[in-house]
Amino acid sequence: MLVELAVGGLGVIDATEVELGPGCSALTGETGAGKTLLVAALGLLLGAKGDRVLVRDGAREARVEGRFLLPAGHPARALLAEHDLTGPVIPGGEEEVVVARALRRDGRSKVRVNGSLTTLGFLSDLGGALVEIAGQHEHRRIGSAAVQRALLDAFIGPDALGLASEVANEVRAA
């Protein structure tokens, strides 16, 4: 769950911080209130391609940072462990994850997860496990084979996944 989002130097946003509560969060407001820029910031934080036109006039770079709390069993925890990027486990068993991305005027990005430099490709993989954004055309995401596989895996449960893993290992060994 995303609990904090900090944005600086992005479009008309000089600097702002947003704290989010548990459950579903909705961005609402009048036209021009900055909803689109906050969604763009979240997209950058989750691995979307960055366009240098997003960098605020006069700023050297746009910065987006997010703090997430992941419960035990969250799929992003396994991905973080696989890449040796785990965060601290806080009382209650949630893992704290801090993601930061800087987008420079030349269009290049710098990505950090829990303080360690990583790739934009990894951030994109991680971002898909961290947050679900629902917007006007986001329903198209269900057409992705990776999303369909993740939904099916979540539906069939760990016992069936274990059996599928055993079969895959046997096929590779044959």
Side-chain angles (χ1 to χ4, degrees), residues 101-171:
R101 181 166 177 197
L103 177 64
R104 297 187 333 207
R105 284 214 165 273
D106 63 6
R108 299 182 79 187
S109 286
K110 187 181 289 187
V111 177
R112 291 184 188 274
V113 174
N114 289 328
S116 295
L117 284 170
T118 190
T119 65
L120 188 56
F122 173 75
L123 179 60
S124 182
D125 291 344
L126 179 64
L130 288 174
V131 173
E132 176 72 32
I133 299 175
Q136 188 172 0
H137 297 288
E138 294 297 322
H139 64 281
R140 295 180 186 160
R141 186 173 180 265
I142 194 68
S144 160
V147 170
Q148 292 172 2
R149 173 71 184 256
L151 289 170
L152 181 60
D153 288 350
F155 177 75
I156 63 173
D159 292 339
L161 286 175
L163 291 172
S165 179
E166 288 178 30
V167 169
N169 290 336
E170 291 295 322
V171 168

Side-chain angles (χ1 to χ4, degrees), residues 4-68:
E4 285 183 76
L5 178 66
V7 182
L10 184 74
V12 298
I13 299 174
D14 181 33
T16 192
E17 291 186 19
V18 179
E19 289 186 33
L20 302 162
C24 179
S25 296
L27 293 175
T28 64
E30 296 182 23
T31 301
K35 300 178 299 290
T36 301
L37 276 177
L38 283 177
V39 172
L42 187 55
L44 288 173
L45 191 66
L46 301 175
K49 285 189 174 187
D51 190 335
R52 62 181 174 214
V53 300
L54 290 172
V55 179
R56 180 180 170 89
D57 286 340
R60 198 178 103 240
E61 64 185 16
R63 292 196 53 77
V64 183
E65 298 177 7
R67 188 169 67 91
F68 299 84

